[in-house]
Amino acid sequence: MTSGRGTRLRTFERAVSVRIAESALTLNGVLRMERLHRWLTVRKLQEKFDVRRIAFEQLRKWSVAPDTGNLSHESGKFFSVEGLSVAVSDGPVKEWSQPILNQPEVGILGILVKEIDGVLHCLMQAKMEPGNADGIQLSPTVQATRSNYSQVHKGRPVPYLHYFRDTAGHRVLADVLQSEQGSWFYRKRNRNMIVEVTTDVEVIDGFSWVTIGQLHSLLSEYDLINMDARTVLSCLPFSAAGIASLFSFGGDDFQSSVIRSFSEDNGSLHSSGDVLSWITESRVGNDVTTKLIPLNETTGWRRTSHAITHETEAFFDIIAVDVSAESREVQGWSQPMISPRGTGLVAFLVKRISGVLHVLVNARVEPGYLDVVELAPTVQCSPENYDHLPPDARPPYLDDVLEAPADAVRYDTILSEEGGRFFEAQNRYLVIEVGDGEHEDVRQDFRWLTVHQLTALIRHSHYVNVQARSLVACLHSLSCGLPGGNG
């Protein structure tokens, strides 16, 4: 017998999924698309900011510890740049050391949603970050570290923060701790939240109500939706049931296969229990030892007055920047940043199996993960980082991505990573379809999963990495028939 509470809960979840689907299929909300583009253009023209690289000795309120070489803020807050020693049981390189960002505090990434004229809208901010390649990006309502929102910097309060610090009286649609880049952050987590309000909300300068469909449409444009917005969007309780309730779909077209992939356990190759067991076995089977060490004890890295660089000139640099930005809580500051070498490649191989789209995920080890392994895209790398390694060290399936024919590419766009810590860190995000008979036998650390299985794992902490979450947001767009990127 089904309990009344269980029935009500399923009814609520279905109602939410329908409302999300309605918003995802709405391209003209409070602002029509052309006005939304014009608003973003005006914000870019009005935003006055300047970011310039400086020497480490020119950093304000940051210092280099004479005994360790670590870079840290005088408050002891925000983050520090330290060294990390790593030993792994598998992979082309078994031991190494590297600089890493240590930011132990948990920040808030939150999107406020509200029904306006019967359609869910998200309150988004046109926000400048020092690492953004093109200045302004569309970001969540709140995007703040604990140091920011506790005003360690003595700046202005973070707008709308109270909706996420005290959710009483509001409807919480998502609230989960998620990791960030495990190669650059040491055990970094942020609270990803979506909170629905029914009361009036004052829209202050630099913010606008945007439908989910508009966000997904803008996601296909060059470097416009920031990483924090993408990871929160991936946490939406998105489902095929919501889309299917609004229009009929069928046949063997690609969009229908994506929609079916959002349906609960619809034709998946592996049961949910098998997937969880595979992830657990991957975590148990990979011996990973990490230890924070003094930055000046990292091997293979050299320090100059302006950068800390790997001896091969691969991977990334640690740099320092000075920032002025009138729209931020603090109008001027300086800080260290990670500056990656080259444009990265982040891709899902996908294929239709019995009419249901499956994505090829990798149980990936990264030294900064809290729990050893998280599910990652099929390919996640900067190809030039492997130029100094033997050919068998190249990531699996990289050539499938690099050599994919144009008619197999379903999504292709350039997006950047978190501009508050990474300087012009851009990745090319791709979804590439392969034939039904291809890659049936995959390596032990790869599995074909449905999108539903991925989104179910995203509702829990430390299962799906930030790059894969961005690609899940792209798949949301494809399920609604929206464009597949700027190519």
Side-chain angles (χ1 to χ4, degrees):
M1 178 178 292
T2 304
S3 70
R5 182 179 181 278
T7 301
R8 288 193 300 274
L9 181 59
R10 284 193 297 275
T11 301
F12 164 74
E13 289 175 343
R14 176 173 171 78
V16 169
S17 72
V18 171
R19 293 164 65 224
I20 289 170
E22 288 173 339
S23 182
L25 296 170
T26 301
L27 293 181
N28 291 302
V30 169
L31 295 181
R32 298 185 66 82
M33 279 301 297
E34 59 269 24
R35 284 192 61 197
L36 180 56
H37 276 105
R38 190 158 57 247
W39 175 71
L40 287 167
T41 300
V42 169
R43 292 302 309 175
K44 286 187 177 184
L45 292 173
Q46 290 178 339
E47 187 78 22
K48 292 181 173 58
F49 67 91
D50 180 62
V51 181
R52 61 186 182 90
R53 291 185 60 167
I54 59 174
F56 291 124
E57 66 178 17
Q58 295 175 288
L59 283 165
R60 290 173 284 148
K61 299 186 178 181
W62 291 79
S63 61
V64 178
D67 54 340
T68 64
N70 293 352
L71 284 160
S72 58
H73 193 263
E74 64 179 17
S75 66
K77 303 294 184 180
F78 299 107
F79 66 96
S80 58
V81 185
E82 304 180 31
L84 187 72
S85 173
V86 185
V88 298
S89 58
D90 192 21
V93 179
K94 299 292 193 297
E95 294 184 4
W96 72 92
S97 60
Q98 64 169 88
I100 200 157
L101 304 187
N102 186 10
Q103 186 173 333
E105 60 187 35
V106 175
I108 293 176
L109 308 178
I111 293 180
L112 203 63
V113 299
K114 177 180 168 64
E115 200 167 281
I116 302 174
D117 295 330
V119 178
L120 275 181
H121 283 67
C122 303
L123 187 61
M124 306 298 290
Q125 181 181 12
K127 188 179 181 73
M128 171 271 172
E129 292 284 5
N132 292 354
D134 198 23
I136 293 292
Q137 292 181 340
L138 212 53
S139 72
T141 320
V142 168
Q143 175 184 315
T145 66
R146 183 178 296 167
S147 293
N148 287 138
Y149 65 71
S150 58
Q151 295 178 266
V152 171
H153 49 44
K154 311 295 185 185
R156 295 191 297 264
V158 175
Y160 306 109
L161 178 65
H162 60 283
Y163 289 104
F164 303 94
R165 296 295 304 280
D166 181 6
T167 59
H170 309 306
R171 177 180 288 177
V172 178
L173 301 185
D175 188 355
V176 60
L177 286 175
Q178 298 287 15
S179 66
E180 298 204 0
Q181 287 81 357
S183 293
W184 295 341
F185 276 122
Y186 184 68
R187 299 183 177 181
K188 172 71 160 50
R189 299 180 297 165
N190 272 324
R191 191 175 178 184
N192 288 225
M193 303 181 69
I194 302 170
V195 175
E196 183 180 4
V197 296
T198 56
T199 55
D200 290 338
V201 176
E202 179 187 3
V203 179
I204 64 177
D205 191 39
F207 290 77
S208 181
W209 289 109
V210 183
T211 69
I212 296 169
Q214 289 175 320
L215 286 175
H216 284 303
S217 179
L218 295 173
L219 182 59
S220 69
E221 299 189 21
Y222 173 83
D223 203 17
L224 188 52
I225 303 295
N226 82 351
M227 185 203 80
D228 299 309
R230 300 193 306 265
T231 180
V232 179
L233 284 172
S234 75
C235 297
L236 276 167
F238 204 83
S239 78
I243 300 173
S245 69
L246 300 179
F247 66 93
S248 60
F249 67 95
D252 296 324
D253 64 290
F254 183 78
Q255 183 186 0
S256 294
S257 73
V258 180
I259 294 173
R260 291 189 185 99
S261 191
F262 278 99
S263 299
E264 184 174 355
D265 292 331
N266 187 352
S268 52
L269 280 182
H270 308 283
S271 71
S272 297
D274 287 341
V275 172
L276 289 172
S277 179
W278 169 62
I279 296 170
T280 302
E281 178 59 32
S282 298
R283 289 172 171 171
V284 171
N286 281 282
D287 293 326
V288 180
T289 303
T290 60
K291 179 184 178 183
L292 289 170
I293 61 173
L295 184 57
N296 59 17
E297 291 184 13
T298 55
T299 57
W301 295 82
R302 59 174 181 260
R303 188 193 298 247
T304 67
S305 61
H306 284 71
I308 300 171
T309 305
H310 194 262
E311 61 188 7
T312 62
E313 297 188 349
F315 309 116
F316 60 86
D317 300 341
I318 301 293
I319 65 169
V321 298
D322 190 74
V323 186
S324 62
E326 293 183 359
S327 66
R328 294 295 300 264
E329 293 86 2
V330 173
Q331 295 186 4
W333 72 94
S334 60
Q335 66 173 91
M337 301 192 82
I338 281 182
S339 177
R341 296 286 183 131
T343 300
L345 197 62
V346 177
F348 268 149
L349 293 185
V350 303
K351 70 174 177 176
R352 291 175 244 182
I353 301 175
S354 301
V356 178
L357 193 78
H358 284 63
V359 302
L360 187 59
V361 299
N362 175 212
R364 181 182 176 93
V365 174
E366 290 190 11
Y369 287 156
L370 187 65
D371 208 357
V372 182
V373 164
E374 293 191 12
L375 298 189
T378 318
V379 172
Q380 176 190 315
C381 70
S382 293
E384 57 266 35
N385 286 343
Y386 295 85
D387 290 346
H388 66 286
L389 295 175
D392 60 0
R394 283 170 65 82
Y397 309 108
L398 175 58
D399 292 335
D400 293 88
V401 173
L402 294 176
E403 299 169 7
D407 61 359
V409 178
R410 304 303 182 201
Y411 205 96
D412 184 359
T413 193
I414 299 290
L415 299 169
S416 65
E417 304 311 310
E418 209 273 288
R421 298 291 178 264
F422 312 135
F423 187 75
E424 298 185 0
Q426 294 185 315
N427 283 312
R428 184 182 178 191
Y429 279 81
L430 292 148
V431 175
I432 296 170
E433 186 174 16
V434 300
D436 186 31
E438 295 184 55
H439 302 305
E440 291 186 347
D441 297 320
V442 296
R443 292 167 40 122
Q444 176 60 28
D445 51 341
F446 288 80
R447 286 286 189 279
W448 288 105
L449 304 185
T450 65
V451 183
H452 169 77
Q453 290 175 314
L454 270 185
T455 56
L457 291 169
I458 287 173
R459 297 190 187 105
H460 305 277
S461 302
H462 312 140
Y463 277 107
V464 181
N465 80 356
V466 67
Q467 293 89 347
R469 297 197 302 272
S470 282
L471 280 173
V472 167
C474 297
L475 288 167
H476 288 173
S477 302
L478 293 176
S479 72
C480 298
L482 292 170
N486 57 60

